[in-house]
Amino acid sequence: MRLDIVTIFPAFFGVLDVSLLGKARASGLIEVGVHDLRDFTHDRHRTVDDTPYGGGAGMVMKPEPWGEALDSVVTPSSVLIVPSPAGHPFTQATARELATREHLVFACGRYEGIDQRVVEHYSERTEVRQLSVGDYVLNGGEVATMAMIEAIGRLVPGVVGNPESLTEESHEDGLLEYPSYTKPPVWRDLAVPEVLLSGNHGAIAAWRHEQQLARTRAVRPDLLGTADSIEER
Ligand SMILES: COC(=O)c1ccnc(N)c1
């Protein structure tokens, strides 16, 4: 998989050289290119924004630099991802799907966003996905892009050492994950649930599934379908 990121803060993505993704890059599983949008400007001030047509507060990112920057990385088989609070929800299912793609390009907008014609133009040439990481606003797409890259990157085969650890996580099966415990068996008078020490794998699996259902009902009832589908889970 190759990732290309266009941003006015390229240094922000230096962290991709460490952590899990650092190893994925070193092993060649994931190639990452970070591009400074200002390198695609031609004026002395390296201008990337201007006032909005129709008035209003803030500034809008100009289409010309974005056109030159994206032309340098986007191909017909790319997925152009534009992080936006107005985007479709980015979920674990989205991450799973994008982890199967060969080339992802992230366009990190700032200010009041990118001139809409950029999305319009590239939608004619490649797959464009406007994606939101939650119902809140950030100052720029960089943090959202980092979150999406981590969620996607860890699902790329070979990136996470033990693929088993990916199957029992929150949202993988539509439920929140069960609580986890490790040694010591008692800590500050708090004991690990007996069933987990029983060695009875059937009882442990049943307890964990019940914990998933209880947690999901309590914290994220929106993830549960109709009543009958809950029992099927
Ligand atoms: C500027 O980008 C955002 O504010 C943003 C991007 C993706 N998801 C969000 N919830 C916000």
Side-chain angles (χ1 to χ4, degrees):
M1 172 184 281
R2 178 169 175 86
L3 307 175
D4 281 294
I5 305 161
V6 180
T7 170
I8 59 172
F9 294 121
F12 183 91
F13 294 96
V15 73
L16 285 178
D17 291 330
V18 297
S19 81
L20 185 67
L21 284 171
K23 274 187 256 164
R25 286 182 78 172
S27 61
L29 279 170
I30 299 178
E31 286 174 10
V32 179
V34 183
H35 312 273
D36 186 343
L37 180 66
R38 293 191 194 279
D39 290 347
F40 298 89
T41 61
H42 306 290
D43 63 305
R44 192 154 57 90
H45 298 295
R46 308 183 84 201
T47 308
V48 293
D49 63 330
D50 204 334
T51 53
Y53 277 124
M59 301 287 271
V60 175
M61 298 192 97
K62 295 168 58 62
E64 301 97 324
W66 278 106
E68 289 192 30
L70 294 177
D71 282 355
S72 74
V73 288
V74 170
T75 70
S77 63
S78 309
V79 181
L80 174 58
I81 296 165
V82 183
S84 164
H88 296 281
F90 177 83
T91 65
Q92 188 68 14
T94 320
R96 263 201 303 274
E97 188 229 324
L98 292 175
T100 66
R101 307 300 292 266
E102 273 313 304
H103 187 214
L104 306 179
V105 178
F106 291 86
C108 300
R110 296 199 71 87
Y111 315 118
E112 298 311 307
I114 303 172
D115 186 300
Q116 186 59 28
R117 288 169 292 181
V118 173
V119 165
E120 222 170 294
H121 174 80
Y122 285 96
S123 295
E124 297 298 314
R125 290 158 179 75
T126 191
E127 184 180 346
V128 178
R129 307 276 289 266
Q130 298 183 80
L131 296 175
S132 168
V133 293
D135 292 337
Y136 46 83
V137 181
L138 301 166
N139 287 330
E142 285 79 6
V143 167
T145 293
M146 187 64 82
M148 289 192 269
I149 287 178
E150 176 142 337
I152 295 163
R154 62 195 298 278
L155 297 179
V156 171
V159 170
V160 169
N162 172 12
E164 278 291 301
S165 64
L166 296 176
T167 54
E168 296 190 333
E169 294 183 318
S170 283
H171 302 286
E172 267 308 318
D173 55 3
L175 297 174
L176 299 184
E177 63 194 7
Y178 51 76
S180 297
Y181 301 83
T182 186
K183 302 178 187 64
V186 180
W187 175 71
R188 296 189 181 180
D189 295 335
L190 296 170
V192 170
E194 272 301 313
V195 66
L196 297 179
L197 309 176
S198 68
N200 178 337
H201 298 295
I204 291 168
W207 179 86
R208 283 176 166 173
H209 187 62
E210 186 41 49
Q211 290 294 313
Q212 281 187 281
L213 282 171
R215 262 190 171 182
T216 308
R217 281 195 197 98
V219 176
R220 288 295 304 276
D222 58 296
L223 294 178
L224 297 173
T226 55
D228 55 345
S229 68
I230 291 175
E231 292 323 311
E232 284 155 17
R233 288 166 181 258

